[in-house]
Every structure is written in structure tokens, then in C-alpha cells.
Amino acid sequence: MHSTPRTDDPPVLECRDLAVRFAGDSGEVCAVNGVNLTVRAGECFGVVGESGSGKSQAFMAVMGLLAENGRASGSVKLNGREILNAPRKTLNAIRGVEMSFIFQDPMSSLTPFLRIGDQMCETLIEHSKISRDEARNRVLEVLEMVRIPAAKRRFGQFPHELSGGMRQRVMIAQALLCKPALLIADEPTTALDVTVQAEILDIFAGLKKHTNTAIVMVTHDLGVIASICDSVAVMYAGRIVERGAAEGVFYDPQHPYTRGLLRSIPSITDDPNADAQVIGGQPPNLLNLPKGCHFRPRCENAMAICAQELPPLLERKPQHFGACHLEVTP
Ligand code: SF4
């Protein structure tokens, strides 16, 4: 686990009151509801939550990649410049250059009928206006940075000739080509086996050490957060319910939902036959969010006020925020 965020480094990404709505046949789905966060240069920021918590949609909005029926509001600044709902031309010039995205499924971003090296060179030449020889050297450099063995041979291969882990490395390399200020990775290890997961996380740890790129790691896996993130935001029903340095969130969680997530991590000392301590119940219907705290139907600490008032996200310990009506314990 890592140290506290570097609060004197400049913000790379700032989201203020970010909200995302989807129009559907049954009404409007409130997928993201007023997210505020700052990610600084050199910081690895984890965003964790169950499926449907809004964590991926918040960052699809940041990238300008929402589905047709999605609408984003609020503010998203990249290096101080407003980019939320920016024109397509502006976003096309930023994506892959100032900010890059790594998806869970590498095949969704690799062109199947182009050789790895060729598609990477095309991207680089398009954005950087450099010669083919310079592009080839940079591509080989990033392939080596993500520890692809025999990089020169891989350069001439097609995506289907690579294993899942190798394809994920190529996608990370592709995302790094133009030295982006911000790298957003959405469940980058979920589809991989445990050994390859560890290797990919080690590559991210190397990036943290050797570059000043701000990394956002979107995941349902607290183990991923624990291994490389400096800070973490826990999302539930489209809102951040807890945010702080990863160490504080892990060792002194301020929200019952975070405590539930932590209890659901299997321990290597657990009896393998014992039931995992999953959080009971289901997340609320985002078409019709209940009054009061959205976690109340699943919360073992719920009180009368929880049915009436939505708890605001307040600083409960220094630089550690929680949205819960429970008193802060000393
Ligand atoms: Fe539980 Fe109430 Fe806190 Fe919500 S506000 S998490 S219901 S104690």
C-alpha cells in the first residue's frame, strides 16, 4: 500500500458535480450523481464499487465516450481546461494524447487485421507528426516498457497471435505512446488469470515509479486498489460515499458500505469452505432512487434519520471523507 496523495502536485483531472443521466423507455437512469474528485500528477487514484455503481460511466463521461442516450453535466477539467461535452474534434485531439483509456477487453481497442506495430505507428504518426522510423523506435520503446518479450518480433504480429495477457500489455503500451498526462484503466486485470493480473499490476507500479502520469484505476477489486493506489473513492448508487488516502480507507473505513466491501475480501487464512461475507441485498433502482441514504436497505447500522436525509460527503478525519449519519469514532 502507498503513501498519502501528493497534495502539492498540480491537479491533472478535476471533476466537479459530475452527473450522468441515461434516457430510457422507463424513464431517466441517474447513473452518476454529483461526483467530485481531483487526481494529481504522479498519483494513482482508485475508484471502487459494485457493478452499476456508476464508476465506469463517470469516466466514460470524462473521456466523452457516453452512449448516444447519455447526457453529462457538471465540470471536468484536464490540466485546467474544461473538456466535459467538448466538441468531437477537440476530444479526438485530446484522447490518446493527453488522456488515454485502457479497457477490460483489449480486442475492443485493437484492430484485428492490422499488425501490432503498424497500428501503433499509425496512432503515433497521426498525433505526433513524426517520421515512420521515429515512430517505430518509440513503439519498440513502449513495448519494452510494458515488458513484452521479443518486442521486435511482436511488432509484426496480429492481435489474435498474442495471449490475453500480451494483448493487455499491448493496449497499455498503446495508451502510453503519446506520454499522456492521464491514464484511465477500467478493470484492466479482470479478464486475466491471477498470475497475469499480478504482472499487469506490476507494470502499473513501474509506471507510477518511472513516469509522472496520473492514473485512475476503475475496479470492483479492492485487492487491485490495495496493491498500487495512493487514494481511493468508493462509489455507491452513482455517488462517492467515501474518499481518502488508500491507507486510511483500508484501515479506518468511515462508511458501512466500505466496511462491507472489506469484509467480502477473501483472506488467505480463511477456511476455503467458509461462505464469503458478501453484502446482503441489492443496490437501489437508479430509475427511482429512494429518499434518504441510498445504502439504507442494506445497512446494518441504519437509524431513523437515514430514511429521511441523504448524508452529505463530509471530512470525517483529515483529508478523509465519508457520507454517513453515524458519528465519527475517535
Ligand atoms: Fe447506514 Fe445510515 Fe450511514 Fe446510510 S447514513 S450508511 S443507512 S448508517
Side-chain angles (χ1 to χ4, degrees):
M1 198 166 300
H2 294 267
S3 54
T4 50
R6 307 168 207 196
T7 48
D8 51 345
D9 281 334
V12 172
L13 177 70
E14 288 178 287
C15 299
R16 294 288 165 259
D17 295 323
L18 177 63
V20 177
R21 304 275 180 269
F22 290 97
D25 292 343
S26 316
E28 197 176 52
V29 174
C30 304
V32 179
N33 299 298
V35 160
N36 292 296
L37 55 85
T38 300
V39 187
R40 297 176 188 280
E43 182 179 359
C44 185
F45 190 100
V47 182
V48 70
E50 292 166 296
S51 167
S53 61
K55 59 189 190 309
S56 293
Q57 293 307 333
F59 288 92
M60 291 303 264
V62 167
M63 296 286 291
L65 293 174
L66 286 178
E68 284 269 300
N69 62 338
R71 190 167 46 84
S73 61
S75 166
V76 173
K77 287 186 176 165
L78 179 68
N79 286 328
R81 173 184 176 199
E82 181 63 50
I83 59 164
L84 190 66
N85 300 320
R88 182 186 296 231
K89 196 174 163 199
T90 308
L91 287 171
N92 284 345
I94 292 172
R95 282 194 296 250
V97 182
E98 277 184 69
M99 64 175 172
S100 290
F101 205 94
I102 297 170
F103 295 93
Q104 182 178 335
D105 173 17
M107 286 311 265
S108 63
S109 329
L110 296 173
T111 309
F113 51 83
L114 279 181
R115 294 178 198 281
I116 299 295
D118 288 341
Q119 52 187 294
M120 292 177 78
C121 281
E122 291 308 323
T123 308
L124 199 50
I125 290 167
E126 187 187 327
H127 290 298
S128 309
K129 310 281 178 276
I130 59 175
S131 72
R132 185 154 285 276
D133 277 354
E134 286 168 317
R136 183 185 161 84
N137 288 340
R138 173 68 185 153
V139 168
L140 288 173
E141 185 188 341
V142 288
L143 288 177
E144 276 159 17
M145 195 190 281
V146 298
R147 300 178 214 157
I148 290 191
K152 281 189 180 148
R153 185 164 62 82
R154 302 291 185 190
F155 192 95
Q157 289 187 316
F158 291 96
H160 71 264
E161 295 180 84
L162 306 181
S163 66
M166 278 300 153
R167 284 200 288 261
Q168 191 59 295
R169 284 168 200 238
V170 168
M171 203 159 70
I172 298 171
Q174 180 141 290
L176 294 172
L177 269 178
C178 298
K179 304 184 180 169
L182 175 66
L183 184 64
I184 300 171
D186 189 3
E187 305 280 6
T189 60
T190 301
L192 306 170
D193 71 43
V194 176
T195 314
V196 182
Q197 271 185 18
E199 288 167 8
I200 297 291
L201 287 177
D202 202 41
I203 290 168
F204 279 105
L207 290 181
K208 258 177 62 98
K209 203 166 164 190
H210 301 297
T211 72
N212 210 26
T213 303
I215 301 172
V216 174
M217 192 65 73
V218 180
T219 180
H220 70 282
D221 186 344
L222 277 168
V224 169
I225 304 274
S227 61
I228 55 165
C229 292
D230 304 299
S231 323
V232 56
V234 181
M235 285 190 69
Y236 189 78
R239 297 177 73 230
I240 292 179
V241 295
E242 179 154 3
R243 194 183 71 215
E247 219 165 287
V249 172
F250 273 83
Y251 294 117
D252 188 15
Q254 295 294 306
H255 196 281
Y257 177 58
T258 313
R259 287 198 275 274
L261 287 179
L262 289 166
R263 277 199 301 266
S264 66
I265 302 176
S267 155
I268 49 168
T269 57
D270 279 351
D271 172 358
N273 297 316
D275 287 338
Q277 292 189 50
V278 291
I279 305 171
Q282 296 293 324
N285 181 354
L286 298 175
L287 271 167
N288 186 17
L289 283 167
K291 192 176 171 194
C293 174
H294 300 148
F295 187 59
R296 186 182 61 84
R298 306 171 75 184
C299 182
E300 59 194 22
N301 305 103
M303 306 165 284
I305 188 179
C306 307
Q308 299 303 321
E309 289 178 28
L310 182 66
L313 187 69
L314 298 176
E315 189 170 24
R316 294 168 68 94
K317 301 275 168 88
Q319 292 301 308
H320 188 168
F321 300 79
C324 177
H325 290 306
L326 284 175
E327 295 291 325
V328 178
T329 47

